[in-house]
């Protein structure tokens, strides 16, 4: 039996960890940390730092190389193939390090429930016949970090919020009847495809980290600044994680 804990860790700041997350990490026999290549070495360094700060017992920490997702379309097929490859790597690490079963933990950026596929990958292990129980420890999301950094409410008074991706924003435009839209996983600044009149944007990158960057303003004015800032930051760090909220004035 594998007891798998998927632990939300926020956006890399150890202060984001809940006491439940710290307990779950210390209760694990094994923590697996993914390596995503030299360009994203900061990400595993942050996870290493969290482990160094909060682990007080004999929990083993093992690193593995994360498979790379093919950039070829169709998008969903490529993502599903990537998830299959990650599940296969997890199974190999479990067989090598927990052959008799035990407590395994994975540190999940943000929260496991929001635009993260760790739960879907874990399902593949169960479907492959692995005897497994899953526990989810919630974490602070990038949406919470964005609204906190800008000191704004997520929703307008009594109004709904739509959370989507940059890809869908590009393909479908502004969602019908939406007053507030949060865009995640946007590598191409999809807000550039929207008519800017009447839209305000709040943007943040590396939220909660030392390199945190923020901007906001009317989309027509702030949008070009954000595109330039984002490109410069990506060049400097080799990677970027950002998110933005758009609201109709």
């Amino acid at each position: 039996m594998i007891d798998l804990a998927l632990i939300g860790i926020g956006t890399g700041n150890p202060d984001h960890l809940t006491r439940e997350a710290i307990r779950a990490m210390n209760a694990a026999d094994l923590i697996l940390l993914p390596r995503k290549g030299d360009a994203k070495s900061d990400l595993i360094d942050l996870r290493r730092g969290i482990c160094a700060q909060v682990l007080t017992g004999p929990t083993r920490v093992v690193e593995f190389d994360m498979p790379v997702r093919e950039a070829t379309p169709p998008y969903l097929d490529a993502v599903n193939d990537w998830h299959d490859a990650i599940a296969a790597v997890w199974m190999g690490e479990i067989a090598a390090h927990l052959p008799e079963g035990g407590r395994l933990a994975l540190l999940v950026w943000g929260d496991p429930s929001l635009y993260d596929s760790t739960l879907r990958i874990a399902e593949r292990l169960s479907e492959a016949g692995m005897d497994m129980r899953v526990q989810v420890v919630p974490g602070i999301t990038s949406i919470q970090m964005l609204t906190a950094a800008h000191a704004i409410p997520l929703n307008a008074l009594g109004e709904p919020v739509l959370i989507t991706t940059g890809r869908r924003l590009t393909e479908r435009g502004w969602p019908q009847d939406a007053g507030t839209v949060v865009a995640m996983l946007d590598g191409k600044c999809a807000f550039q495809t929207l008519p800017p009149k009447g839209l305000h944007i709040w943007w943040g990158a590396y939220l909660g980290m030392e390199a945190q960057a923020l901007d906001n303003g009317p989309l027509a004015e702030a949008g070009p600044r954000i595109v330039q800032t984002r490109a410069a930051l990506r060049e400097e760090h080799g990677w970027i994680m950002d998110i933005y909220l758009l609201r109709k004035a």
Side-chain angles (χ1 to χ4, degrees), residues 16-36:
H16 294 175
L17 292 178
T18 64
R19 285 182 289 184
E20 182 183 11
I22 294 171
R23 285 196 303 271
M25 289 178 64
N26 280 284
D29 300 310
L30 175 69
I31 294 176
L32 291 178
L33 300 184
R35 288 189 298 258
K36 298 186 177 182

Side-chain angles (χ1 to χ4, degrees), residues 76-96:
L76 291 180
D77 289 346
V79 170
N80 277 315
D81 290 344
W82 182 46
H83 290 170
D84 289 341
I86 296 170
V89 172
W90 285 11
M91 292 182 73
E93 296 295 331
I94 291 169

